Amino acid sequence: MAIESEYVIETQDLVKIYKTGKVKAVDGLNLKIKKGEIYALIGANGSGKTTSLNMISGALFPTSGNIRVLGYNVPKHRRIISNYIGIAPQDYSIFYDLSLEENVRFFSRIYGMTKAEFEPRFNELLNILRLEEKRKALAKNLSGGMKRRTSIACALIHNPRIVFFDEATVGIDPVLRTFFWKYFHSLKEDGITLVITSHVMDEAERADRIGLMRGGKLIAEGTPSELRNKHNADSIEEIFIKLSEGVIIDE
Amino acid sequence: MSKKNVDLKPKNLNFSLRRTMAIAFRTMNQFRRDRRTIALMSIVPIVIMLIFGLAFSGEVRNVPVIIDNQDVLYTNPFPPISLHLGPNITDNLVADDGVDVTFGNYDQGIDSVELGDVYAAVLIPANFSELVVRMLTGENVTIQLYVYIDATKPTIRASVMSTIYDALDSAVGDRGIKLVQILAHDGAEFTGLDVGIPSVIAFVIIFLLVIVGTITVTREKIQGTQDRLYSTPLRSSERLLGYVIGLLLIAILMISLTLIFGVLVFGVKVHGNVFLLIFAALIFGIAHVFLAVFLSNFAQNELQAIQFAPLTALPSMALGGMLVPIVSLPVWLQPLSYVVPLTYGINLFEGIMLKGWGFKELWVDFTVVAGMCLLFFILAVVTVRNRMRD
Ligand SMILES: Nc1ncnc2c1ncn2[C@@H]1O[C@H](COP(=O)(O)OP(=O)(O)OP(=O)(O)O)[C@@H](O)[C@H]1O
Ligand SMILES: [Mg+2]
């Protein structure tokens, strides 16, 4: 059952080998993420970020290793924690044949929310995500960035304590992106933990901590300034290019 | 160490009708927007009705009939003629593979026809040869042969009658002998189309539900929504049941349209209980929704999913007694007819609509369809995914 810990997410020697292709997508991942942290998982394409998030959220079962989320063992108790996490997947994963509002309402029902709980929260999210004008629009007719924002609304509707954003800001224009990051920090103030993956390095610099993955492993971790100092680099981008391409082996 | 993490209330753990209905509404909502699919789903049954109801003709073989030959040898004193025609007629019938002859008592034969075990009972009366002799000697007599026949399948009826005519003709010659047809099931006669509709309903349920069902579930996979739902409180049983309820409402709409068109446009009469008919359509529909959900496990995209419909519908059509009566199929194929769901669907819909049968006569078919429901349900439950593929 629930174990008390200062970490809301902990993984121990997490391994995932897909049966199709026999790829070791995640290879001994050890993550520790504190409550209220904004944690950025970065790494080259195919380094195992999405696979890790899917395992931590309980949708994908690990080949070996342990996961604890909010003190509960995952996937064993994934249904308990599922009420307290929200995930916006890399592909939008929304219903294209439903309207924006119907999509979010659908997820609110899945989380057992009543109509009275849904309405104010939905209006709040529409405002934050700047989607008011599109609430009746069919999801398939939304622009890419609006689909992404709809997906984010579905992930946040039930006030989760941990939010996973897989490439959350891809397709979002710079103005909105800056605005979103303000919102992310306000979520953090409320004690909500955010795990994001990103390929935009200046975005990663806004996170509290960064984990850099390569070949399914964490090869560097720390606050942006720690990483810059340790690797004697001016930017995270520089570190990313060095480390993720294997120029430097950092253990 | 902080204590903050353990203040979670485990919630939303039990089976929830609310979540189930969220899935059901979502399944129906996609159709509300998709007018073209709805239109197609209403037109397809009508087209199939037209094609099969009007255009069907097929060769019919080995139709089971019972023959009661009571005819006795008659010897006329003057002019001296001795005749015993009954055995000649029956020999001809036995030799013809259009029918499959069993000898028996006429009254029991009538019961067998009513029960649907055989299609006709033929009575050659005791004085048949005597009457023929008297006619040959110039007397004005009416000679009759009685055929108690199931008229609900016009093709079978026509074939059986022509076989009897042939047998009579080659035994006695064309002497104006009357074949008296007594129609089974309260004497109702049916047009070709009338007969087609029950099969068409059964067929349409299979065809459209398998298409719509597999595509709906497969679409969730492609959109990624299925994977996303694995990390929510939704249970796989709720998802399964939600699909079933959503699809079933679509099925009801489709079946109603078919029935309404059948009745209003093609003038079909429902002789049995309408509620029993709806009940039969429902459990037959549920069975195929389960089948569709089960089959969609094996499809990764819509193109693959769409193949399942002809894959289930075509063998059903060939083996289920829709095009060719089961008794006319090659003997080695006939056992397969009894594993095809369409066989029982047709039995149910024909029994209720055309023959006015109730549960008493159809309980075997109801039981088999209920059994199929259970089987497909178990298959769907055992194979339903509750996590991402790995
Ligand atoms: N369903 C799957 N079946 C088989 N292999 C998979 C599957 N999903 C991912 N992989 C493989 O696992 C590895 C890690 O993939 P993953 O999607 O986790 O990477 P990622 O870090 O999220 O990449 P990106 O930045 O492109 O999103 C890749 O080699 C990928 O090909
Ligand atoms: Mg990814």
Side-chain angles (χ1 to χ4, degrees), chain A residues 100-124:
Chain A
L100 189 166
E101 180 167 358
E102 285 164 348
N103 265 288
V104 186
R105 189 192 304 277
F106 171 84
F107 280 95
S108 81
R109 287 187 178 142
I110 294 298
Y111 289 108
M113 293 170 76
T114 62
K115 203 179 154 83
E117 289 165 337
F118 168 76
E119 291 296 340
R121 175 65 177 156
F122 179 56
N123 286 323
E124 183 189 0

PDB file of all heavy atoms in Angstrom, chain A residues 100-124:
ATOM      1  N   LEU A 100     -14.805  19.948 -28.784  1.00  0.00           N
ATOM      2  CA  LEU A 100     -13.864  20.233 -27.691  1.00  0.00           C
ATOM      3  C   LEU A 100     -14.549  20.008 -26.340  1.00  0.00           C
ATOM      4  O   LEU A 100     -14.043  19.300 -25.478  1.00  0.00           O
ATOM      5  CB  LEU A 100     -13.404  21.678 -27.835  1.00  0.00           C
ATOM      6  CG  LEU A 100     -12.261  22.214 -26.977  1.00  0.00           C
ATOM      7  CD1 LEU A 100     -11.792  23.524 -27.557  1.00  0.00           C
ATOM      8  CD2 LEU A 100     -12.592  22.358 -25.519  1.00  0.00           C
ATOM      9  N   GLU A 101     -15.726  20.597 -26.202  1.00  0.00           N
ATOM     10  CA  GLU A 101     -16.433  20.487 -24.924  1.00  0.00           C
ATOM     11  C   GLU A 101     -16.785  19.031 -24.600  1.00  0.00           C
ATOM     12  O   GLU A 101     -16.617  18.577 -23.474  1.00  0.00           O
ATOM     13  CB  GLU A 101     -17.703  21.344 -24.950  1.00  0.00           C
ATOM     14  CG  GLU A 101     -18.481  21.257 -23.654  1.00  0.00           C
ATOM     15  CD  GLU A 101     -19.554  22.329 -23.530  1.00  0.00           C
ATOM     16  OE1 GLU A 101     -19.662  23.159 -24.453  1.00  0.00           O
ATOM     17  OE2 GLU A 101     -20.266  22.326 -22.524  1.00  0.00           O
ATOM     18  N   GLU A 102     -17.268  18.302 -25.620  1.00  0.00           N
ATOM     19  CA  GLU A 102     -17.637  16.901 -25.381  1.00  0.00           C
ATOM     20  C   GLU A 102     -16.433  16.065 -24.967  1.00  0.00           C
ATOM     21  O   GLU A 102     -16.543  15.159 -24.139  1.00  0.00           O
ATOM     22  CB  GLU A 102     -18.278  16.314 -26.644  1.00  0.00           C
ATOM     23  CG  GLU A 102     -19.693  16.788 -26.876  1.00  0.00           C
ATOM     24  CD  GLU A 102     -20.192  16.521 -28.294  1.00  0.00           C
ATOM     25  OE1 GLU A 102     -19.370  16.174 -29.167  1.00  0.00           O
ATOM     26  OE2 GLU A 102     -21.389  16.683 -28.519  1.00  0.00           O
ATOM     27  N   ASN A 103     -15.275  16.379 -25.554  1.00  0.00           N
ATOM     28  CA  ASN A 103     -14.056  15.674 -25.172  1.00  0.00           C
ATOM     29  C   ASN A 103     -13.758  15.855 -23.690  1.00  0.00           C
ATOM     30  O   ASN A 103     -13.546  14.884 -22.967  1.00  0.00           O
ATOM     31  CB  ASN A 103     -12.868  16.205 -25.981  1.00  0.00           C
ATOM     32  CG  ASN A 103     -12.594  15.368 -27.211  1.00  0.00           C
ATOM     33  OD1 ASN A 103     -12.104  14.241 -27.106  1.00  0.00           O
ATOM     34  ND2 ASN A 103     -12.924  15.897 -28.370  1.00  0.00           N
ATOM     35  N   VAL A 104     -13.752  17.104 -23.259  1.00  0.00           N
ATOM     36  CA  VAL A 104     -13.376  17.376 -21.869  1.00  0.00           C
ATOM     37  C   VAL A 104     -14.448  16.818 -20.920  1.00  0.00           C
ATOM     38  O   VAL A 104     -14.142  16.235 -19.886  1.00  0.00           O
ATOM     39  CB  VAL A 104     -13.150  18.877 -21.645  1.00  0.00           C
ATOM     40  CG1 VAL A 104     -12.616  19.119 -20.246  1.00  0.00           C
ATOM     41  CG2 VAL A 104     -12.179  19.432 -22.678  1.00  0.00           C
ATOM     42  N   ARG A 105     -15.713  16.972 -21.327  1.00  0.00           N
ATOM     43  CA  ARG A 105     -16.804  16.444 -20.499  1.00  0.00           C
ATOM     44  C   ARG A 105     -16.686  14.922 -20.355  1.00  0.00           C
ATOM     45  O   ARG A 105     -16.901  14.372 -19.281  1.00  0.00           O
ATOM     46  CB  ARG A 105     -18.154  16.811 -21.105  1.00  0.00           C
ATOM     47  CG  ARG A 105     -19.333  16.490 -20.189  1.00  0.00           C
ATOM     48  CD  ARG A 105     -20.639  16.600 -20.940  1.00  0.00           C
ATOM     49  NE  ARG A 105     -20.825  17.918 -21.553  1.00  0.00           N
ATOM     50  CZ  ARG A 105     -21.293  18.970 -20.918  1.00  0.00           C
ATOM     51  NH1 ARG A 105     -21.646  18.867 -19.667  1.00  0.00           N
ATOM     52  NH2 ARG A 105     -21.432  20.121 -21.538  1.00  0.00           N
ATOM     53  N   PHE A 106     -16.326  14.284 -21.456  1.00  0.00           N
ATOM     54  CA  PHE A 106     -16.146  12.832 -21.417  1.00  0.00           C
ATOM     55  C   PHE A 106     -15.130  12.453 -20.340  1.00  0.00           C
ATOM     56  O   PHE A 106     -15.394  11.599 -19.491  1.00  0.00           O
ATOM     57  CB  PHE A 106     -15.686  12.317 -22.787  1.00  0.00           C
ATOM     58  CG  PHE A 106     -15.269  10.874 -22.773  1.00  0.00           C
ATOM     59  CD1 PHE A 106     -16.207   9.860 -22.888  1.00  0.00           C
ATOM     60  CD2 PHE A 106     -13.933  10.518 -22.612  1.00  0.00           C
ATOM     61  CE1 PHE A 106     -15.830   8.528 -22.856  1.00  0.00           C
ATOM     62  CE2 PHE A 106     -13.547   9.193 -22.578  1.00  0.00           C
ATOM     63  CZ  PHE A 106     -14.498   8.197 -22.697  1.00  0.00           C
ATOM     64  N   PHE A 107     -13.974  13.137 -20.359  1.00  0.00           N
ATOM     65  CA  PHE A 107     -12.957  12.791 -19.366  1.00  0.00           C
ATOM     66  C   PHE A 107     -13.420  13.131 -17.952  1.00  0.00           C
ATOM     67  O   PHE A 107     -13.122  12.400 -17.015  1.00  0.00           O
ATOM     68  CB  PHE A 107     -11.617  13.450 -19.710  1.00  0.00           C
ATOM     69  CG  PHE A 107     -10.878  12.679 -20.770  1.00  0.00           C
ATOM     70  CD1 PHE A 107     -10.976  13.034 -22.112  1.00  0.00           C
ATOM     71  CD2 PHE A 107     -10.130  11.561 -20.438  1.00  0.00           C
ATOM     72  CE1 PHE A 107     -10.327  12.299 -23.091  1.00  0.00           C
ATOM     73  CE2 PHE A 107      -9.472  10.815 -21.413  1.00  0.00           C
ATOM     74  CZ  PHE A 107      -9.573  11.189 -22.749  1.00  0.00           C
ATOM     75  N   SER A 108     -14.190  14.217 -17.797  1.00  0.00           N
ATOM     76  CA  SER A 108     -14.674  14.546 -16.455  1.00  0.00           C
ATOM     77  C   SER A 108     -15.577  13.427 -15.924  1.00  0.00           C
ATOM     78  O   SER A 108     -15.543  13.094 -14.748  1.00  0.00           O
ATOM     79  CB  SER A 108     -15.420  15.881 -16.473  1.00  0.00           C
ATOM     80  OG  SER A 108     -16.747  15.717 -16.934  1.00  0.00           O
ATOM     81  N   ARG A 109     -16.350  12.822 -16.815  1.00  0.00           N
ATOM     82  CA  ARG A 109     -17.223  11.716 -16.388  1.00  0.00           C
ATOM     83  C   ARG A 109     -16.402  10.490 -16.014  1.00  0.00           C
ATOM     84  O   ARG A 109     -16.716   9.775 -15.066  1.00  0.00           O
ATOM     85  CB  ARG A 109     -18.189  11.336 -17.509  1.00  0.00           C
ATOM     86  CG  ARG A 109     -19.278  12.355 -17.700  1.00  0.00           C
ATOM     87  CD  ARG A 109     -20.298  11.837 -18.694  1.00  0.00           C
ATOM     88  NE  ARG A 109     -21.365  12.793 -18.838  1.00  0.00           N
ATOM     89  CZ  ARG A 109     -21.958  13.065 -19.999  1.00  0.00           C
ATOM     90  NH1 ARG A 109     -21.589  12.433 -21.096  1.00  0.00           N
ATOM     91  NH2 ARG A 109     -22.928  13.949 -20.052  1.00  0.00           N
ATOM     92  N   ILE A 110     -15.348  10.276 -16.798  1.00  0.00           N
ATOM     93  CA  ILE A 110     -14.480   9.131 -16.500  1.00  0.00           C
ATOM     94  C   ILE A 110     -13.869   9.297 -15.109  1.00  0.00           C
ATOM     95  O   ILE A 110     -13.649   8.331 -14.385  1.00  0.00           O
ATOM     96  CB  ILE A 110     -13.372   9.007 -17.583  1.00  0.00           C
ATOM     97  CG1 ILE A 110     -13.983   8.653 -18.938  1.00  0.00           C
ATOM     98  CG2 ILE A 110     -12.313   7.989 -17.185  1.00  0.00           C
ATOM     99  CD1 ILE A 110     -14.710   7.328 -18.992  1.00  0.00           C
ATOM    100  N   TYR A 111     -13.619  10.563 -14.717  1.00  0.00           N
ATOM    101  CA  TYR A 111     -13.060  10.804 -13.387  1.00  0.00           C
ATOM    102  C   TYR A 111     -14.144  10.981 -12.336  1.00  0.00           C
ATOM    103  O   TYR A 111     -13.874  11.438 -11.223  1.00  0.00           O
ATOM    104  CB  TYR A 111     -12.144  12.033 -13.418  1.00  0.00           C
ATOM    105  CG  TYR A 111     -10.860  11.775 -14.164  1.00  0.00           C
ATOM    106  CD1 TYR A 111     -10.626  12.326 -15.413  1.00  0.00           C
ATOM    107  CD2 TYR A 111      -9.888  10.925 -13.622  1.00  0.00           C
ATOM    108  CE1 TYR A 111      -9.459  12.068 -16.108  1.00  0.00           C
ATOM    109  CE2 TYR A 111      -8.711  10.656 -14.308  1.00  0.00           C
ATOM    110  CZ  TYR A 111      -8.501  11.232 -15.561  1.00  0.00           C
ATOM    111  OH  TYR A 111      -7.353  10.961 -16.236  1.00  0.00           O
ATOM    112  N   GLY A 112     -15.370  10.664 -12.698  1.00  0.00           N
ATOM    113  CA  GLY A 112     -16.454  10.674 -11.716  1.00  0.00           C
ATOM    114  C   GLY A 112     -16.904  12.061 -11.292  1.00  0.00           C
ATOM    115  O   GLY A 112     -17.499  12.223 -10.229  1.00  0.00           O
ATOM    116  N   MET A 113     -16.603  13.089 -12.100  1.00  0.00           N
ATOM    117  CA  MET A 113     -17.015  14.442 -11.718  1.00  0.00           C
ATOM    118  C   MET A 113     -18.488  14.671 -12.034  1.00  0.00           C
ATOM    119  O   MET A 113     -18.995  14.167 -13.026  1.00  0.00           O
ATOM    120  CB  MET A 113     -16.182  15.487 -12.475  1.00  0.00           C
ATOM    121  CG  MET A 113     -14.726  15.511 -12.081  1.00  0.00           C
ATOM    122  SD  MET A 113     -13.764  16.534 -13.209  1.00  0.00           S
ATOM    123  CE  MET A 113     -14.219  18.173 -12.666  1.00  0.00           C
ATOM    124  N   THR A 114     -19.148  15.448 -11.184  1.00  0.00           N
ATOM    125  CA  THR A 114     -20.538  15.791 -11.450  1.00  0.00           C
ATOM    126  C   THR A 114     -20.581  16.998 -12.385  1.00  0.00           C
ATOM    127  O   THR A 114     -19.569  17.667 -12.608  1.00  0.00           O
ATOM    128  CB  THR A 114     -21.268  16.158 -10.148  1.00  0.00           C
ATOM    129  OG1 THR A 114     -20.620  17.301  -9.604  1.00  0.00           O
ATOM    130  CG2 THR A 114     -21.228  15.022  -9.150  1.00  0.00           C
ATOM    131  N   LYS A 115     -21.762  17.260 -12.897  1.00  0.00           N
ATOM    132  CA  LYS A 115     -21.946  18.403 -13.782  1.00  0.00           C
ATOM    133  C   LYS A 115     -21.582  19.706 -13.068  1.00  0.00           C
ATOM    134  O   LYS A 115     -20.935  20.591 -13.637  1.00  0.00           O
ATOM    135  CB  LYS A 115     -23.421  18.441 -14.207  1.00  0.00           C
ATOM    136  CG  LYS A 115     -23.691  19.174 -15.505  1.00  0.00           C
ATOM    137  CD  LYS A 115     -25.189  19.113 -15.797  1.00  0.00           C
ATOM    138  CE  LYS A 115     -25.625  20.285 -16.649  1.00  0.00           C
ATOM    139  NZ  LYS A 115     -25.418  20.151 -18.068  1.00  0.00           N
ATOM    140  N   ALA A 116     -21.965  19.766 -11.793  1.00  0.00           N
ATOM    141  CA  ALA A 116     -21.690  20.974 -11.013  1.00  0.00           C
ATOM    142  C   ALA A 116     -20.189  21.172 -10.805  1.00  0.00           C
ATOM    143  O   ALA A 116     -19.706  22.301 -10.715  1.00  0.00           O
ATOM    144  CB  ALA A 116     -22.390  20.890  -9.663  1.00  0.00           C
ATOM    145  N   GLU A 117     -19.458  20.074 -10.714  1.00  0.00           N
ATOM    146  CA  GLU A 117     -18.008  20.186 -10.579  1.00  0.00           C
ATOM    147  C   GLU A 117     -17.362  20.529 -11.916  1.00  0.00           C
ATOM    148  O   GLU A 117     -16.362  21.239 -11.986  1.00  0.00           O
ATOM    149  CB  GLU A 117     -17.426  18.866 -10.056  1.00  0.00           C
ATOM    150  CG  GLU A 117     -17.746  18.578  -8.607  1.00  0.00           C
ATOM    151  CD  GLU A 117     -17.480  17.124  -8.236  1.00  0.00           C
ATOM    152  OE1 GLU A 117     -17.478  16.259  -9.125  1.00  0.00           O
ATOM    153  OE2 GLU A 117     -17.281  16.867  -7.044  1.00  0.00           O
ATOM    154  N   PHE A 118     -17.975  19.988 -12.971  1.00  0.00           N
ATOM    155  CA  PHE A 118     -17.380  20.149 -14.301  1.00  0.00           C
ATOM    156  C   PHE A 118     -17.449  21.591 -14.796  1.00  0.00           C
ATOM    157  O   PHE A 118     -16.430  22.158 -15.213  1.00  0.00           O
ATOM    158  CB  PHE A 118     -18.086  19.215 -15.292  1.00  0.00           C
ATOM    159  CG  PHE A 118     -17.756  19.485 -16.735  1.00  0.00           C
ATOM    160  CD1 PHE A 118     -16.535  19.087 -17.267  1.00  0.00           C
ATOM    161  CD2 PHE A 118     -18.658  20.146 -17.567  1.00  0.00           C
ATOM    162  CE1 PHE A 118     -16.223  19.339 -18.590  1.00  0.00           C
ATOM    163  CE2 PHE A 118     -18.353  20.409 -18.891  1.00  0.00           C
ATOM    164  CZ  PHE A 118     -17.133  20.001 -19.402  1.00  0.00           C
ATOM    165  N   GLU A 119     -18.631  22.185 -14.734  1.00  0.00           N
ATOM    166  CA  GLU A 119     -18.847  23.487 -15.372  1.00  0.00           C
ATOM    167  C   GLU A 119     -17.826  24.552 -14.988  1.00  0.00           C
ATOM    168  O   GLU A 119     -17.154  25.108 -15.864  1.00  0.00           O
ATOM    169  CB  GLU A 119     -20.271  23.990 -15.110  1.00  0.00           C
ATOM    170  CG  GLU A 119     -21.377  23.199 -15.819  1.00  0.00           C
ATOM    171  CD  GLU A 119     -21.299  23.279 -17.353  1.00  0.00           C
ATOM    172  OE1 GLU A 119     -20.657  24.216 -17.868  1.00  0.00           O
ATOM    173  OE2 GLU A 119     -21.874  22.400 -18.014  1.00  0.00           O
ATOM    174  N   PRO A 120     -17.667  24.865 -13.670  1.00  0.00           N
ATOM    175  CA  PRO A 120     -16.723  25.937 -13.327  1.00  0.00           C
ATOM    176  C   PRO A 120     -15.279  25.607 -13.709  1.00  0.00           C
ATOM    177  O   PRO A 120     -14.550  26.456 -14.206  1.00  0.00           O
ATOM    178  CB  PRO A 120     -16.870  26.069 -11.803  1.00  0.00           C
ATOM    179  CG  PRO A 120     -17.546  24.835 -11.342  1.00  0.00           C
ATOM    180  CD  PRO A 120     -18.342  24.312 -12.491  1.00  0.00           C
ATOM    181  N   ARG A 121     -14.912  24.351 -13.498  1.00  0.00           N
ATOM    182  CA  ARG A 121     -13.537  23.951 -13.812  1.00  0.00           C
ATOM    183  C   ARG A 121     -13.278  24.055 -15.323  1.00  0.00           C
ATOM    184  O   ARG A 121     -12.227  24.518 -15.755  1.00  0.00           O
ATOM    185  CB  ARG A 121     -13.317  22.513 -13.310  1.00  0.00           C
ATOM    186  CG  ARG A 121     -11.974  21.902 -13.651  1.00  0.00           C
ATOM    187  CD  ARG A 121     -10.832  22.637 -12.957  1.00  0.00           C
ATOM    188  NE  ARG A 121      -9.549  22.017 -13.231  1.00  0.00           N
ATOM    189  CZ  ARG A 121      -8.386  22.650 -13.156  1.00  0.00           C
ATOM    190  NH1 ARG A 121      -8.345  23.914 -12.800  1.00  0.00           N
ATOM    191  NH2 ARG A 121      -7.267  22.019 -13.419  1.00  0.00           N
ATOM    192  N   PHE A 122     -14.276  23.645 -16.103  1.00  0.00           N
ATOM    193  CA  PHE A 122     -14.118  23.685 -17.555  1.00  0.00           C
ATOM    194  C   PHE A 122     -13.978  25.131 -18.030  1.00  0.00           C
ATOM    195  O   PHE A 122     -13.099  25.452 -18.834  1.00  0.00           O
ATOM    196  CB  PHE A 122     -15.319  23.004 -18.227  1.00  0.00           C
ATOM    197  CG  PHE A 122     -15.272  23.012 -19.725  1.00  0.00           C
ATOM    198  CD1 PHE A 122     -14.185  22.482 -20.406  1.00  0.00           C
ATOM    199  CD2 PHE A 122     -16.315  23.545 -20.472  1.00  0.00           C
ATOM    200  CE1 PHE A 122     -14.134  22.482 -21.792  1.00  0.00           C
ATOM    201  CE2 PHE A 122     -16.270  23.561 -21.861  1.00  0.00           C
ATOM    202  CZ  PHE A 122     -15.171  23.026 -22.513  1.00  0.00           C
ATOM    203  N   ASN A 123     -14.811  26.025 -17.495  1.00  0.00           N
ATOM    204  CA  ASN A 123     -14.733  27.430 -17.890  1.00  0.00           C
ATOM    205  C   ASN A 123     -13.384  28.034 -17.520  1.00  0.00           C
ATOM    206  O   ASN A 123     -12.803  28.814 -18.279  1.00  0.00           O
ATOM    207  CB  ASN A 123     -15.871  28.221 -17.255  1.00  0.00           C
ATOM    208  CG  ASN A 123     -17.197  27.898 -17.944  1.00  0.00           C
ATOM    209  OD1 ASN A 123     -17.233  27.713 -19.147  1.00  0.00           O
ATOM    210  ND2 ASN A 123     -18.262  27.792 -17.164  1.00  0.00           N
ATOM    211  N   GLU A 124     -12.894  27.635 -16.360  1.00  0.00           N
ATOM    212  CA  GLU A 124     -11.585  28.107 -15.913  1.00  0.00           C
ATOM    213  C   GLU A 124     -10.501  27.673 -16.911  1.00  0.00           C
ATOM    214  O   GLU A 124      -9.664  28.473 -17.337  1.00  0.00           O
ATOM    215  CB  GLU A 124     -11.318  27.527 -14.519  1.00  0.00           C
ATOM    216  CG  GLU A 124     -10.036  27.984 -13.880  1.00  0.00           C
ATOM    217  CD  GLU A 124      -9.734  27.183 -12.596  1.00  0.00           C
ATOM    218  OE1 GLU A 124     -10.536  26.291 -12.226  1.00  0.00           O
ATOM    219  OE2 GLU A 124      -8.700  27.444 -11.992  1.00  0.00           O
TER     220      GLU A 124
END
